[in-house]
Amino acid sequence: MHCASQSATLQSVNTSERTRLLRRRMIATARRRTIADGLNGFTIEQLCEEVGVSRRTFFNHFASKEDVVLGIELGVEDDLLATFAAGAAVDPDLAPFEAAVALAIEHLHVVGLDRGEEALMRDVLEREPSLVARFVTATDRQMNLVGDAMRSRFGWTDPADDRGRLVAEIIGALLKATAWRFFADDDGPPFEDILRTNFRLVTAMANSDSPAVPASSAPLSAAHSINELEHTP
C-alpha cells in the first residue's frame, strides 16, 4: 500500500512537471513568433502545430493568444491561493509580509521562471505596445486576488480594512525590484534568493532596532517581520 501511494504521488508530480514544461514551451514559442511576425502574424492553430498540441489543449491552459504571449495561465494560481487563504500552503506562523513572500516563492515553484524566456517579454512589448495595457490589467487583477487571500488568511474581514491590499502592493513592488535584478544578470543567483535578500534589506530598513542588514544566508523567520501589521484583525 505504501509503495502504491508513493507511485501515485510520483506520477502526480511528473504530470504536474510535464504540464508546467508544456505551458512554458507554449509561452516561449508564442513570444518568439510575436517578436518575429507580430501578434497578428500567426494564428492559434499555427502556434499549436509548432508546439505539437491540439487547439483544445491550448484552451485548457490559455484563454487567448494575447494571454499565452503574456504568460497568463488559466487556473494556475487558484488552488495555491485557496490553500493560502485557508491558512496553509506556507508556514502558518509567518507574519503577513513574510507569508506573502513565501507565497510568491511557492508560486514560482508552480509556474517556473527562466531568465531567457522571460527576457523575451521586453522584445514582445516593444514589438506590440498594445499588450502593455493587458499586462497591467492582469497584474492588477493578480494583486486583488492576493489581497483577498491575505484578508481571508489573517481575518481582515472589515471591508474598510486595506491591509490585504497594502501587503499585496508592497510585495508586488518588491517583486518588481527583484525581477529587475534577476534579469540584469544572466549568471546571477536564483529569483527566490534575490527576493529573500531584498526582503531582509527592506525589513532591516523598516525596523529601527535593526543595527545591520541580516545576512543573506539567514533563514526567513517571523523574528524579522515588520511589526506594523499583526496576525489578528
Side-chain angles (χ1 to χ4, degrees), residues 50-222:
E50 184 170 344
V51 177
V53 299
S54 67
R55 180 181 172 90
R56 178 178 179 179
T57 297
F58 174 90
F59 284 108
N60 283 339
H61 298 292
F62 301 98
S64 67
K65 184 166 61 173
E66 290 80 3
D67 281 2
V68 69
V69 172
L70 293 173
I72 302 171
E73 305 171 34
L74 284 173
V76 72
E77 298 172 331
D78 294 352
D79 290 343
L80 178 59
L81 283 175
T83 304
F84 177 83
V90 302
D91 186 344
D93 295 325
L94 291 177
F97 278 113
E98 290 164 320
V101 170
L103 173 65
I105 291 171
E106 285 301 312
H107 178 253
L108 288 175
H109 293 165
V110 172
V111 302
L113 187 64
D114 180 271
R115 275 186 170 91
E117 290 180 12
E118 294 299 325
L120 292 174
M121 274 300 296
R122 290 191 294 265
D123 294 334
V124 166
L125 295 178
E126 285 181 7
R127 177 66 189 257
E128 294 287 348
S130 62
L131 288 174
V132 173
R134 177 75 180 94
F135 182 76
V136 170
T137 299
T139 300
D140 193 56
R141 177 179 178 276
Q142 185 179 43
M143 289 299 100
N144 286 332
L145 292 174
V146 171
D148 289 344
M150 292 295 299
R151 282 190 284 272
S152 295
R153 183 182 180 93
F154 292 99
W156 299 333
T157 56
D158 187 338
D161 192 335
D162 289 332
R163 283 179 291 180
R165 178 70 184 190
L166 285 171
V167 172
E169 291 287 355
I170 291 169
I171 294 302
L174 189 63
L175 288 169
K176 181 179 179 181
T178 300
W180 177 83
R181 175 61 62 189
F182 177 75
F183 293 121
D185 186 356
D186 291 340
D187 299 315
F191 189 96
E192 65 185 80
D193 289 354
I194 303 172
L195 177 59
R196 287 191 177 101
T197 298
N198 285 345
F199 179 74
R200 294 186 183 96
L201 288 169
V202 170
T203 303
M205 289 186 291
N207 290 332
S208 59
D209 59 347
S210 298
V213 175
S216 60
S217 60
L220 186 65
S221 69

Side-chain angles (χ1 to χ4, degrees), residues 5-49:
S5 176
Q6 283 186 326
S7 177
T9 300
L10 181 60
Q11 184 177 4
S12 175
V13 170
N14 289 340
T15 300
S16 297
E17 180 63 10
R18 286 197 299 270
T19 299
R20 186 186 70 81
L21 291 174
L22 173 62
R23 284 174 163 174
R24 299 312 303 175
R25 192 163 77 249
M26 294 167 72
I27 291 168
T29 303
R31 288 175 178 174
R32 291 189 177 96
R33 288 297 300 265
T34 300
I35 293 168
D37 306 319
L39 190 62
N40 295 323
F42 65 99
T43 65
I44 290 176
E45 287 75 15
Q46 289 171 329
L47 175 64
C48 290
E49 182 178 357

